[in-house]
């Protein structure tokens, strides 16, 4: 019955427990062999899984390689970023030129000729319009008639003409006046001159007076810069496509040298990652195929390293990499900056195409082997579990049978002792009669 316990050698005459242990040890030998085989399969599966992971990393790196993006990348620099900074796109030419910033942009700011003594004073206006000269057209914003405080007038102007003009209150130490300024200097190419402004007012009456066109607080100015004999004017401090693909951001008046060169940092970064990922694959193969390793001398695994190396000819010819003692690669980045674009394109195209395709197939094969080892391991473990259960049942059966035998032996011993006692008593009886 379940839960029964059988004690060996209760009579002290037969230690059948050690016999049962010996029988079970003999019968458990297949179980030990299966455990060893399962452990070996698990180690091989782990090694192959690690190799597959390293191969996948290298494959993904090559599949994600944007050759055109790396080769077309340019970088721009300014000898004096406090004067002008530079931004470049891929289609910018490799050039060097001098820039002379003669004028930086300014927004026009005008103030009214009159004002009020107090912010609570009443201001009247009628037929009022705000005009904004973009340089090609004049935009008009009708404010209309009204009265209120100076701040009320400011609010109405901002509501009507706020897309082009910002109205506010200026206190000059004596009067509160109306101040108008450009919202965005890039909206107009016109520059302020005496009596000729970007912002103007039309009105029938305005109690704070007209704008002081002859004495602007700040004049509207465009960016003016010179490149060689070329004069460039821009309403903002950002001058786009001054040369195709080159954008300059003006900071202050001064001179600077602008240079545009190819940016090889992206290619160098890719090559660093490639060598690192390649070496990870090689080191994993070395650890799997070395002396007493799980795949020692296995040609199918060592063949991966040999085949991978066959795709590196263009890198070796360019002097970009060389072998180390264990088959890993060492990188020579100084060679990259001296190479022509066509040579770099050939190298990257070869790696992405031929090696990338090979890695894709190898990763698929490795995954299939990993799955196969896992299934074999599961089958062995399943059989081992069944055998373990059988041995447990066998142990119960043997202990039960041997305990019964020991019990029978104990009964026989008791009977022998009783017979012996009977015979002694009988002898004593017979001797007493004589």
């Amino acid at each position: 019955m379940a839960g029964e316990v059988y004690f060996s050698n209760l009579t002290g005459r037969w230690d059948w427990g050690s016999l049962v242990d010996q029988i079970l040890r003999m019968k458990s030998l297949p179980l030990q062999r299966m455990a060893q085989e399962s452990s070996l399969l698990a180690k091989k599966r782990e090694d192959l899984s690690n190799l597959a992971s390293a191969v996948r990393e290298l494959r993904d790196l090559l599949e994600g390689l944007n050759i055109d993006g790396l080769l077309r990348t340019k970088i721009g620099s300014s000898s004096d970023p406090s004067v002008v900074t530079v931004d470049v796109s891929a289609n910018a030419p490799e050039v060097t030129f001098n820039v002379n910033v003669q004028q930086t942009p300014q927004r026009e700011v005008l103030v009214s000729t009159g004002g009020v003594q107090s912010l609570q004073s009443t201001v009247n206006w009628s037929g009022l319009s705000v005009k904004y000269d973009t340089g090609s057209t004049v935009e008009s914003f009708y404010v209309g008639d009204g009265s209120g405080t100076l701040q009320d007038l400011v609010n109405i102007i901002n509501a009507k003409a706020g897309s082009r003009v910002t109205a506010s209150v200026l206190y000059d130490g004596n009067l509160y006046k109306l101040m108008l300024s450009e919202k965005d200097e890039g909206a107009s190419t016109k520059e302020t001159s005496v009596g000729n402004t970007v912002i103007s007012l039309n009105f029938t009456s305005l109690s704070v007076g007209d704008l002081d066109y002859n004495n602007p607080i700040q004049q509207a100015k465009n960016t003016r810069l010179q490149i060689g004999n070329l004069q460039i004017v821009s309403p903002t401090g950002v001058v786009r496509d001054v040369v195709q693909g080159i954008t300059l951001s003006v900071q202050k008046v001064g001179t600077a040298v602008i240079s545009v060169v190819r940016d090889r940092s992206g290619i160098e970064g890719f090559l660093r990652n490639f060598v690192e990922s390649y070496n990870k694959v090689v080191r994993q193969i070395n650890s799997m195929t070395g002396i007493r390793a799980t795949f020692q001398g296995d040609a199918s695994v060592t063949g991966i390293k040999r085949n991978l190396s066959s795709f590196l000819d263009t890198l070796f010819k360019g002097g970009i990499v060389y072998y180390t003692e264990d088959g890993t690669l060492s990188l020579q980045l100084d060679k990259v900056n001296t190479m022509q674009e066509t040579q770099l394109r050939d190298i990257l195209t070869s790696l992405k195409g031929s090696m990338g395709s090979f890695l894709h197939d190898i990763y698929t094969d490795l995954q299939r082997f990993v799955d196969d080892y896992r299934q074999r391991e599961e089958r062995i473990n399943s059989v081992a579990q069944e055998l373990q259960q059988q041995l447990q049942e066998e142990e119960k059966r043997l202990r039960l049978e041997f305990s019964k035998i020991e019990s029978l032996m104990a009964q026989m011993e008791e009977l022998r002792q009783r017979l012996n006692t009977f015979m002694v008593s009988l002898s004593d009886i017979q001797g007493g009669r004589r």
Side-chain angles (χ1 to χ4, degrees):
M1 294 178 63
E4 290 184 342
V5 179
Y6 306 100
F7 294 100
S8 172
N9 201 23
L10 287 176
T11 63
R13 295 180 177 274
W14 184 31
D15 184 13
W16 56 264
S18 60
L19 178 60
V20 171
D21 291 340
Q22 185 176 358
I23 292 173
L24 291 174
R25 279 196 299 271
M26 294 295 294
K27 289 192 174 185
S28 65
L29 289 177
L31 192 62
Q32 296 175 17
R33 288 194 294 271
M34 281 187 281
Q36 293 173 353
E37 186 175 356
S38 176
S39 177
L40 179 60
L41 287 172
K43 183 63 172 66
K44 286 187 172 183
R45 175 174 56 82
E46 180 184 5
D47 286 344
L48 286 173
S49 181
N50 290 337
L51 178 58
S53 178
V55 167
R56 184 185 66 243
E57 180 180 321
L58 183 57
R59 180 205 65 184
D60 291 348
L61 178 67
L62 291 173
E63 288 184 352
L65 172 61
N66 182 352
I67 298 175
D68 287 335
L70 290 181
L71 292 176
R72 294 179 61 194
T73 301
K74 308 288 176 54
I75 185 170
S77 63
S78 170
S79 63
D80 191 346
S82 68
V83 173
V84 61
T85 59
V86 60
D87 185 39
V88 298
S89 60
N91 62 344
E94 296 179 60
V95 294
T96 299
F97 55 88
N98 295 320
V99 173
N100 180 15
V101 179
Q102 300 166 331
Q103 181 174 283
T104 57
Q106 284 188 170
R107 299 180 185 183
E108 184 177 82
V109 181
L110 300 170
V111 69
S112 61
T113 56
V116 292
Q117 294 286 343
S118 169
L119 289 175
Q120 282 70 45
S121 299
T122 299
V123 175
N124 300 300
W125 61 92
S126 63
L128 178 62
S129 294
V130 178
K131 296 186 176 295
Y132 184 83
D133 192 341
T134 66
S136 57
T137 60
V138 177
E139 299 177 0
S140 181
F141 303 92
Y142 184 66
V143 177
D145 306 330
S147 66
T149 65
L150 183 58
Q151 186 61 52
D152 291 332
L153 176 58
V154 165
N155 294 340
I156 293 174
I157 291 175
N158 284 334
K160 298 289 186 177
S163 61
R164 294 299 192 202
V165 172
T166 300
S168 56
V169 175
L170 172 71
Y171 182 62
D172 67 0
N174 182 35
L175 295 175
Y176 293 95
K177 297 183 176 183
L178 175 66
M179 184 172 72
L180 300 180
S181 62
E182 287 187 273
K183 186 173 184 178
D184 178 11
E185 69 271 19
S188 175
T189 59
K190 185 175 181 178
E191 294 185 309
T192 304
S193 58
V194 177
N196 189 11
T197 58
V198 177
I199 302 170
S200 60
L201 294 178
N202 277 357
F203 53 85
T204 304
S205 64
L206 180 60
S207 57
V208 294
D210 203 352
L211 298 176
D212 189 352
Y213 300 113
N214 294 323
N215 298 290
I217 293 179
Q218 182 170 284
Q219 294 182 338
K221 291 183 179 181
N222 294 323
T223 295
R224 293 182 180 274
L225 54 86
Q226 184 174 357
I227 300 176
N229 295 324
L230 178 65
Q231 293 285 337
I232 298 174
V233 178
S234 171
T236 70
V238 178
V239 185
R240 303 185 185 280
D241 289 328
V242 60
V243 177
Q244 183 182 23
I246 300 176
T247 298
L248 301 180
S249 297
V250 171
Q251 309 299 320
K252 68 178 184 179
V253 173
T255 60
V257 178
I258 303 301
S259 296
V260 179
V261 296
R262 289 195 177 275
D263 182 10
R264 296 290 170 85
S265 62
I267 297 175
E268 292 176 357
F270 165 78
L271 290 172
R272 286 193 191 93
N273 293 334
F274 171 80
V275 169
E276 181 181 348
S277 297
Y278 180 93
N279 288 345
K280 187 180 294 186
V281 173
V282 171
R283 291 191 182 102
Q284 178 61 26
I285 292 175
N286 291 345
S287 69
M288 294 168 58
T289 57
I291 297 175
R292 290 185 293 277
T294 52
F295 289 90
Q296 178 180 346
D298 191 315
S300 61
V301 179
T302 56
I304 296 175
K305 182 169 68 172
R306 183 176 59 255
N307 289 330
L308 275 178
S309 65
S310 67
F311 299 111
L312 303 175
D313 288 347
T314 54
L315 287 175
F316 284 115
K317 290 178 180 178
I320 297 176
V321 298
Y322 61 88
Y323 277 128
T324 60
E325 186 175 349
D326 63 353
T328 57
L329 300 179
S330 184
L331 188 61
Q332 296 277 82
L333 282 177
D334 58 323
K335 301 291 185 179
V336 175
N337 290 323
T338 63
M339 286 187 174
Q340 297 296 320
E341 179 179 334
T342 54
Q343 188 177 5
L344 284 171
R345 183 179 293 277
D346 289 343
I347 290 173
L348 297 177
T349 301
S350 174
L351 289 176
K352 183 178 177 69
S354 55
M355 182 180 281
S357 176
F358 172 75
L359 290 169
H360 183 277
D361 294 339
I362 287 297
Y363 176 73
T364 302
D365 292 340
L366 287 172
Q367 284 296 102
R368 187 171 65 251
F369 280 120
V370 169
D371 292 339
D372 178 64
Y373 277 110
R374 180 182 293 106
Q375 293 172 6
R376 290 168 60 184
E377 184 184 350
E378 290 173 351
R379 286 197 297 268
I380 290 175
N381 290 338
S382 177
V383 172
Q385 186 176 5
E386 292 178 3
L387 179 57
Q388 181 68 41
Q389 292 175 348
Q390 292 173 6
L391 288 176
Q392 290 174 352
E393 295 298 324
E394 180 72 2
E395 180 181 9
K396 292 179 182 179
R397 184 184 65 78
L398 288 174
R399 289 186 181 278
L400 175 61
E401 290 181 355
F402 281 121
S403 66
K404 288 180 179 179
I405 293 173
E406 184 179 20
S407 177
L408 180 60
M409 290 174 62
Q411 294 175 14
M412 295 298 293
E413 177 62 20
E414 181 182 358
L415 179 60
R416 185 189 66 78
Q417 291 179 359
R418 290 173 62 186
L419 286 173
N420 185 55
T421 302
F422 174 76
M423 293 300 296
V424 171
S425 300
L426 182 61
S427 175
D428 289 343
I429 294 172
Q430 292 176 346
R433 288 180 177 175
R434 287 195 299 269

